[in-house]
Amino acid sequence: MRCSGTLGRMKRRCRLPIRQNRLQSKVRDLLVDSFANAREPSPSRRSRANSKAKKVSNWDLPPQRFEFVEEKQIQVGDWRGVEQSGHVQKPKAAEACHFYRLPALVPSVQSISKYLLQNPDLFSTELDSVDKTPTFEFYPFRDGEWIDQGMRHLLEEILDRVMVYVRLRYDGRCAASDILVRRYLPGERRSHGVHFDGHALVTAVLGLTDPETYQGGLYVQPGPDVTSRTYFRLEPGDLLVHSFDLQHGVHVWEGARYSIVFWIKDSAQAVRDRSTPWYRRLEEQGDADVLFNLAQNFEHGLFGEPVDLAKALELYELSAGKGHHFAQNNLGLIYRRLHESSGEEQLLRKSVHWLKAAAEAGFAMAQKNLALAYANGQGLRRDDAQAVVWMRKAAEQLEVEAAYMMGEMYRRGCGVSSQEGVMWYLRSAEAGFPKAQYTVGMLYLEGSGLSQDLGKAETWLKLAAKQGNPEAKNNVATLHAQRGEVAEASQIWEELAKSGEPNAQCNLGMAYLRGAGRPEDPDLAAEWLRKAAQQGHQMALQALATL
């Protein structure tokens, strides 16, 4: 899958100036007059919106459940139970995609759940390669090797049972490649957008959480539009198994959800090589999903394939010609990138052609990218109204970044009402998107669009800070400083300063200069102030001049 563009590239007529954050200016009065005042982008002050904004159906309707209607008794090693079968039709193709649920394959998962709850730091906050937000996942088993011995003790027998079934159902040579544990908690990531597990021949998902305690979960979406989406009910111990060509994702509205994902290749050699040889064998059959996944490998040099953009384009074109919306979207972005490097106008026309094809088919990611093309005038006449139309279409399909961008369109004066803009910010924030959480915090902080509420402001800013948002961290530090909690503030500033954030470097320098939350140390003060000044921070320059 490919990342989208950025609303920040909109032309000047759709931009608002960055204003100084008034909360942070209070730090100088509360600590020392020369503390740095970080500048933060803040929402424009417009008419207050009613927080009870108009509802959007896809965000509020309960998830539609997939119902299995076929089942049979099976024996898997020493386990005897039921295999339930289901399938969905691939769009614009004669083939169907099949999947299977094995209820209670694992009699109890309580010990696994207990281990995960006792070890929350196992979950990584590294950014996802696609949506650039924290993953909240970890690998106890990778490239065929155990990494976490605690999970090995809990999962080894389960993995053996899973592999017995997969070899019976798919290929006797199959080998386990990776095991991934994911969590979806309130305030953190709540969704993984629709995608393919292109690096695995088979995916098996083990339920860990009682489905009565959360709403949503794992879904299948055979078509480009969210209306084709249905959710699987997985009781703790249930296993859901599917092949690489199932378009699926996760969205959790309420509650907390944990799951374990087993990724399986077609041979031990493929695990060792980190390769996907089945695509080469299936390429001649012309399946659009095969062509798309193989094209991604050539585009990025993945899974044993070299980087070969010409080959990738050939495969994407074949897949897109069969109506594959992912391939159409990726072609749109590749041709745009090629235009930027070559200036050839026909490449930009191709970009728009493919983005429109996928967007008009109902694919939310392409709708978002087409909206950005209208907003930035990329191959199309710049048109804020059309940008809003297409971004709204994407946002209404539970696309959390598009929901955030709808809020940004309000802030940038692009024809979205204040009431609607705030509604979309809240939707995106509640779905765990860090930038939206930060913005909602600032709306509550400044009373812009929402009634001023410092408690809610701090709650949202802390959620965004937990997900690594640097602006939110700066503001949380400032709130600590405002209450006289200078040690806590300085600790946050030090973390940010070490990552190169200039406002925090300046604030930390002043903390060392005045002994506020840090031992008084003129040398360290000068060091951090100098680092901020080298990035053009004016208050750091002024403070250095007084030393």
Side-chain angles (χ1 to χ4, degrees):
M1 219 182 299
R2 178 178 299 280
C3 298
S4 65
T6 171
L7 193 65
R9 296 173 61 186
M10 280 186 170
K11 304 301 180 183
R12 291 184 62 84
R13 72 189 180 100
C14 204
R15 281 186 179 153
L16 296 182
I18 295 176
R19 296 186 291 105
Q20 183 168 311
N21 180 342
R22 293 179 299 140
L23 172 64
Q24 293 191 349
S25 68
K26 297 179 181 178
V27 178
R28 291 182 296 168
D29 300 328
L30 292 163
L31 298 180
V32 290
D33 289 341
S34 53
F35 253 53
N37 175 20
R39 297 173 66 86
E40 306 288 353
S42 303
S44 62
R45 291 196 175 278
R46 296 174 180 255
S47 59
R48 292 181 184 274
N50 183 347
S51 61
K52 296 181 180 179
K54 183 180 178 180
K55 291 184 177 181
V56 179
S57 60
N58 286 330
W59 290 81
D60 298 303
L61 289 175
Q64 182 181 356
R65 186 185 301 177
F66 183 89
E67 299 293 347
F68 288 87
V69 295
E70 300 177 19
E71 65 177 48
K72 65 178 183 180
Q73 292 288 325
I74 62 168
Q75 183 83 36
V76 178
D78 60 355
W79 179 83
R80 183 172 179 80
V82 171
E83 177 194 63
Q84 299 173 329
S85 304
H87 70 274
V88 290
Q89 199 67 33
K90 293 187 180 185
K92 298 184 179 181
E95 301 90 349
C97 188
H98 298 265
F99 39 84
Y100 310 91
R101 182 172 66 184
L102 280 67
L105 179 74
V106 180
S108 174
V109 295
Q110 290 184 356
S111 57
I112 300 172
S113 298
K114 181 179 179 180
Y115 182 85
L116 297 176
L117 290 172
Q118 291 176 342
N119 295 277
D121 293 340
L122 289 172
F123 292 85
S124 172
T125 55
E126 290 183 6
L127 301 186
D128 184 83
S129 61
V130 174
D131 60 25
K132 308 304 179 186
T133 59
T135 57
F136 295 104
E137 63 187 26
F138 83 96
Y139 288 85
F141 182 87
R142 195 154 201 179
D143 297 327
E145 301 289 340
W146 287 101
I147 298 171
D148 187 291
Q149 295 304 312
M151 287 295 284
R152 179 178 185 173
H153 173 71
L154 297 169
L155 288 179
E156 204 158 27
E157 290 186 8
I158 295 173
L159 175 59
D160 289 342
R161 181 172 291 179
V162 170
M163 291 309 302
V164 170
Y165 173 76
V166 169
R167 288 170 182 145
L168 286 171
R169 167 53 63 186
Y170 292 92
D171 188 326
R173 300 174 302 158
C174 281
S177 176
D178 306 285
I179 300 176
L180 178 68
V181 185
R182 280 183 172 149
R183 77 182 189 200
Y184 301 87
L185 303 184
E188 296 182 355
R189 170 187 284 276
R190 304 296 275 166
S191 67
H192 271 89
V194 62
H195 63 281
F196 297 93
D197 288 345
H199 57 290
L201 177 70
V202 178
T203 296
V205 181
L206 179 66
L208 296 179
T209 307
D210 182 352
E212 294 297 327
T213 64
Y214 66 89
Q215 188 177 60
L218 176 66
Y219 63 79
V220 57
Q221 182 181 315
D225 190 275
V226 71
T227 56
S228 68
R229 182 177 295 183
T230 52
Y231 287 77
F232 295 116
R233 181 181 175 91
L234 289 181
E235 299 283 350
D238 288 1
L239 190 75
L240 191 286
V241 184
H242 65 84
S243 55
F244 66 87
D245 54 349
L246 182 70
Q247 185 174 293
H248 65 285
V250 173
H251 191 95
V252 178
W253 277 267
E254 298 177 2
R257 176 182 180 269
Y258 288 77
S259 65
I260 296 179
V261 183
F262 301 84
W263 281 320
I264 298 155
K265 294 183 182 289
D266 64 348
S267 68
Q269 187 64 47
V271 173
R272 289 190 292 270
D273 296 342
R274 300 181 181 179
S275 61
T276 53
W278 55 92
Y279 292 128
R280 288 300 191 103
R281 295 195 299 269
L282 297 172
E283 180 182 358
E284 290 185 0
Q285 297 178 14
D287 179 87
D289 295 325
V290 170
L291 297 170
F292 167 73
N293 284 313
L294 189 55
Q296 286 204 117
N297 290 352
F298 278 109
E299 182 189 355
H300 302 292
L302 300 173
F303 308 119
E305 304 295 356
V307 174
D308 187 336
L309 188 56
K311 179 67 173 176
L313 285 170
E314 175 190 343
L315 293 166
Y316 276 137
E317 291 272 4
L318 289 170
S319 182
K322 295 174 181 288
H324 200 285
H325 44 281
F326 275 99
Q328 292 169 342
N329 178 73
N330 282 15
L331 277 175
L333 297 181
I334 291 175
Y335 282 130
R336 180 191 297 173
R337 189 178 74 222
L338 291 174
H339 163 76
E340 291 170 354
S341 62
S342 70
E344 293 184 33
E345 289 302 315
Q346 77 173 61
L347 295 173
L348 204 51
R349 287 193 293 272
K350 284 186 175 182
S351 171
V352 171
H353 166 76
W354 286 118
L355 286 179
K356 279 189 172 181
E360 290 170 357
F363 188 34
M365 186 180 295
Q367 291 172 340
K368 177 175 65 178
N369 288 329
L370 183 61
L372 293 169
Y374 274 114
N376 297 320
Q378 294 172 312
L380 296 160
R381 180 178 59 83
R382 195 180 310 137
D383 188 329
D384 290 346
Q386 281 298 304
V388 170
V389 166
W390 286 104
M391 194 65 76
R392 185 182 287 115
K393 287 179 182 291
E396 287 172 349
Q397 294 199 65
L398 308 179
E399 219 289 351
V400 296
E401 185 180 31
Y404 164 75
M405 287 181 173
M406 281 295 293
E408 289 291 276
M409 284 179 163
Y410 145 62
R411 280 185 54 209
R412 297 166 192 268
C414 299
V416 177
S417 70
S418 61
Q419 180 179 359
E420 186 181 9
V422 170
M423 176 193 74
W424 286 118
Y425 277 138
L426 287 167
R427 296 283 190 193
S428 183
E430 289 165 359
F433 194 65
K435 289 181 181 178
Q437 292 175 333
Y438 163 71
T439 302
V440 169
M442 296 304 296
L443 293 176
Y444 275 119
L445 184 66
E446 297 195 343
S448 177
L450 291 167
S451 299
Q452 189 174 43
D453 188 320
L454 297 184
K456 289 181 179 179
E458 185 167 6
T459 295
W460 283 110
L461 290 171
K462 283 184 174 180
L463 289 173
K466 182 181 178 181
Q467 297 206 66
N469 185 278
E471 292 89 354
K473 288 182 179 181
N474 251 325
N475 280 288
V476 170
T478 302
L479 288 168
H480 281 300
Q482 184 181 4
R483 293 193 290 263
E485 299 163 356
V486 290
E488 291 85 346
S490 296
Q491 183 177 349
I492 296 172
W493 282 326
E494 182 171 8
E495 175 194 340
L496 284 171
K498 288 178 178 178
S499 71
E501 209 287 320
N503 296 312
Q505 290 173 338
C506 183
N507 285 336
L508 184 61
M510 297 310 301
Y512 277 116
L513 185 65
R514 303 303 184 191
R518 285 289 181 271
E520 188 172 334
D521 190 326
D523 292 335
L524 279 175
E527 177 183 336
W528 285 111
L529 290 170
R530 193 174 297 112
K531 288 181 178 181
Q534 288 170 351
Q535 298 191 61
H537 200 288
Q538 292 301 308
M539 295 195 72
L541 285 167
Q542 294 171 13
L544 280 172
T546 66
L547 293 178

